[in-house]
Amino acid sequence: MKISWLFKNATVIDGSGSPAYRADVAVVGDRIARIAPAINEEAHATLDCHGLTLAPGFIDVHTHDDLAVIKRPDYIEKTSQGVTSIIVGNCGISAACAVMQDQVPDPINLLGELDEFHYPDLASYRDGINAVTPSVNVATLIGHTTLRNNCVDSLLEPANSQQIAAMRETLRLALQQGALGLSTGLSYGNAVNASTEEVCALAELLAEYHGIYTTHLRTEYDGIIEAMQEAFHVGRHGGVPVQISHHKCAGAKNWGRTTETLALIEQYQQQQEISCDVYPYRAGSSNLDLRQVTTDYDILITWSTPFPQMAGKTLQEIAGLWQTDVHEAASRLLPAGAIYFQMDEADVRRVLQHPSAMIGSDGLPCDPNPHPRLWSTFPRVLGHYSRDEKLFPLVTAVHKMTGMSAQRFGLPQRGLIREGWFADLTLFDAQTVNEAGTFQHPKQAAVGIERVWVNGVLSWSDKAMTGQRAGKFLAANQ
């Protein structure tokens, strides 16, 4: 078969962490057909890649794009930054398996509106993805809070044995249909009262399907060590890998404690598989939570239902305008979204550098003024942290967003540039790649991402979506 795409003179970073090398790469259909020092065959399209880096397409292991990617299948937010596969269903909330009544509870409402939830099992979600052919591949975890919403009478109470049995039934079917594993968001009000035993009962199902347990810890603040130990216990109970979501030490008095938490990961790694993901910013983003309101650091309001005009202002600014304190101001703004500048830069760097850490954006696509991580996470790691700050070599940066991620989440034949593997590829300029978005103006395509292919189809080129899409649903280990 004739070569579809021939990349000449590319600097190849293959995603394994191995050194870069110069090569020609040939793609036939949706696969990488050949890698050699020189390929001199006719091709439908030949690109001279001199001065450019060819890498596997980036894998965003931590997203909340479950519904956004169906609503906007030309998913420019991720495709423009070189992402070719996303993992949804994080932090205990998934659109897959969600059954809604008359309203969408917090924090599931981070994903979308009531009329967008019509995927009562994984098969229907898979069909929804494949029906729109998005610009990225999509794999999903099943959210614990989503299961609770379906099965418990009160989200504010632990589930009883009958309710746990119902949750297990839904989860088992989803795993059979290709879910990657189970996620929890135990810090959120509608899951914080779930017992460890409730989570363990669900985790018991994962090993049979080679699933993973990912967790937004019960707290990322003062009690983080105990919360991590709980997560490790769940993993040991289920006999499955543990992924700590968006690892951080939040709150000013916890700054610097990543020396403790990373040492704890290393200690428990002697007994079990543990890893984490991280976004490259000292600010996080979520719904405005009164329990997190403080004057210790800035809190930027991204949206407010009763006061939409306050979006883009800090909580302290708003309190000043209203001549009240930040707690009263926050109460008046609800429901609302916020960006919390709750981490220390040294902690962010320490986690980014750790061998167990891979890259995930944790962006919220429904926010009218989203955290810039939604558009800029991967170029920021490549440009700001790897090239400019020299936090780690470029090959390490690429490994943390490709090969390492595919291996941890069970996405076979993706994440590496290998003959016979899927042609998910990103071509970028290592000298210029970087974020363009800011907290004030986050919706900006990154700099230096030249072209992006998903399953062999060119999806991003010349700073625009091409209109050609080839993303599909990725079932676990298939």
Side-chain angles (χ1 to χ4, degrees):
M1 187 183 290
K2 190 174 178 181
I3 294 171
S4 310
W5 291 94
L6 179 56
F7 303 90
K8 299 286 292 180
N9 309 309
T11 299
V12 176
I13 296 182
D14 69 6
S16 68
S18 299
Y21 60 91
R22 184 68 58 85
D24 291 357
V25 178
V27 170
V28 175
D30 65 351
R31 301 277 180 161
I32 298 165
R34 194 171 163 213
I35 306 166
I39 301 173
N40 297 307
E41 296 177 29
E42 193 177 340
H44 289 291
T46 301
L47 291 176
D48 183 2
C49 302
H50 180 76
L52 297 175
T53 298
L54 186 67
F58 308 141
I59 299 169
D60 192 342
V61 299
H62 192 103
T63 84
H64 298 290
D65 300 334
D66 307 43
L67 296 171
V69 74
I70 295 175
K71 188 161 58 175
R72 302 194 299 278
D74 252 0
Y75 202 37
I76 186 172
E77 291 94 323
K78 295 298 165 69
T79 308
S80 65
Q81 57 178 306
V83 171
T84 57
S85 296
I86 60 174
I87 293 171
V88 303
N90 285 281
C91 292
I93 58 175
S94 62
C97 299
V99 178
M100 297 297 158
Q101 301 303 323
D102 53 352
Q103 62 178 4
V104 185
D106 177 79
I108 306 175
N109 58 6
L110 290 171
L111 302 181
E113 303 293 333
L114 181 63
D115 61 1
E116 297 175 75
F117 286 87
H118 32 77
Y119 308 105
D121 58 12
L122 187 130
S124 57
Y125 182 73
R126 177 196 65 213
D127 292 347
I129 293 293
N130 289 335
V132 300
T133 312
S135 60
V136 291
N137 301 308
V138 182
T140 189
L141 300 154
I142 301 302
H144 167 236
T145 305
T146 293
L147 297 175
R148 284 175 60 78
N149 178 67
N150 294 358
C151 301
V152 302
D153 298 326
S154 170
L155 285 166
L156 302 179
E157 295 176 5
N160 61 36
S161 57
Q162 190 175 359
Q163 293 162 345
I164 290 172
M167 287 193 278
R168 281 171 57 98
E169 190 175 329
T170 302
L171 177 60
R172 185 185 293 279
L173 177 60
L175 291 166
Q176 289 170 351
Q177 294 175 341
L180 300 182
L182 173 73
S183 77
T184 55
L186 297 174
S187 76
Y188 288 103
N190 282 326
V192 72
N193 292 316
S195 66
T196 306
E197 292 71 27
E198 174 181 325
V199 179
C200 282
L202 296 172
E204 289 169 1
L205 302 178
L206 299 175
E208 181 182 348
Y209 302 94
H210 307 288
I212 187 171
Y213 173 61
T214 78
T215 180
H216 178 153
L217 296 169
R218 203 173 283 274
T219 181
E220 297 171 323
Y221 288 79
D222 301 1
I224 189 168
I225 297 297
E226 294 75 18
M228 291 173 69
Q229 289 170 332
E230 177 189 37
F232 302 158
H233 170 74
V234 172
R236 287 195 305 278
H237 182 85
V240 293
V242 175
Q243 175 90 353
I244 299 174
S245 297
H246 43 60
H247 184 43
K248 65 174 75 75
C249 290
K253 63 183 175 180
N254 293 306
W255 290 351
R257 291 188 68 194
T258 54
T259 52
E260 254 183 278
T261 61
L262 294 173
L264 192 70
I265 287 174
E266 291 170 9
Q267 177 189 332
Y268 277 85
Q269 279 176 330
Q270 305 305 311
Q271 313 164 40
Q272 60 189 120
E273 290 185 68
I274 300 166
S275 52
C276 65
D277 52 74
V278 57
Y279 48 80
Y281 298 88
R282 56 172 292 266
S285 179
S286 189
N287 287 341
L288 180 60
D289 180 356
L290 297 182
R291 295 173 302 167
Q292 294 186 46
V293 170
T294 179
T295 55
D296 288 349
Y297 47 78
D298 284 340
I299 299 173
L300 182 70
I301 300 303
T302 58
W303 59 272
S304 167
T305 298
F307 297 100
Q309 69 274 23
M310 293 301 168
K313 292 183 170 61
T314 67
L315 191 55
Q316 283 185 300
E317 282 181 273
I318 296 166
L321 288 170
W322 289 348
Q323 297 186 317
T324 186
D325 65 28
V326 291
H327 299 279
E328 173 60 26
S331 296
R332 289 169 61 180
L333 287 164
L334 292 175
I339 291 172
Y340 302 88
F341 290 81
Q342 64 200 52
M343 285 104 77
D344 180 59
E345 177 66 18
D347 282 325
V348 175
R349 290 170 180 243
R350 204 173 286 123
V351 178
L352 279 167
Q353 284 181 295
H354 198 266
S356 69
M358 58 202 78
I359 307 303
S361 69
D362 195 23
L364 299 176
C366 296
D367 263 10
N369 186 51
H371 190 302
R373 64 190 179 185
L374 181 69
W375 288 76
S376 298
T377 286
F378 294 84
R380 178 171 166 83
V381 172
L382 297 171
H384 175 65
Y385 281 115
S386 176
R387 182 192 60 236
D388 300 342
E389 295 297 313
K390 297 182 171 36
L391 209 58
F392 34 63
L394 189 61
V395 294
T396 301
V398 171
H399 176 58
K400 285 174 171 289
M401 51 184 71
T402 58
M404 184 181 181
S405 309
Q407 190 277 330
R408 170 52 71 213
F409 281 87
L411 304 178
Q413 298 192 316
R414 298 186 194 272
L416 298 176
I417 294 181
R418 290 280 189 273
E419 290 183 356
W421 287 40
F422 288 102
D424 292 345
L425 299 165
T426 293
L427 187 67
F428 66 92
D429 185 337
Q431 299 307 310
T432 63
V433 65
N434 217 330
E435 64 183 334
T438 64
F439 284 99
Q440 284 68 37
H441 304 286
K443 298 179 181 180
Q444 298 188 58
V447 176
I449 302 293
E450 300 294 325
R451 301 191 187 200
V452 180
W453 290 260
V454 178
N455 296 311
V457 172
L458 181 64
S459 303
W460 173 262
S461 181
D462 300 320
K463 301 180 181 178
M465 299 297 292
T466 66
Q468 302 297 309
R469 305 193 303 266
K472 57 188 178 182
F473 184 82
L474 303 181
N477 293 297
Q478 290 180 16

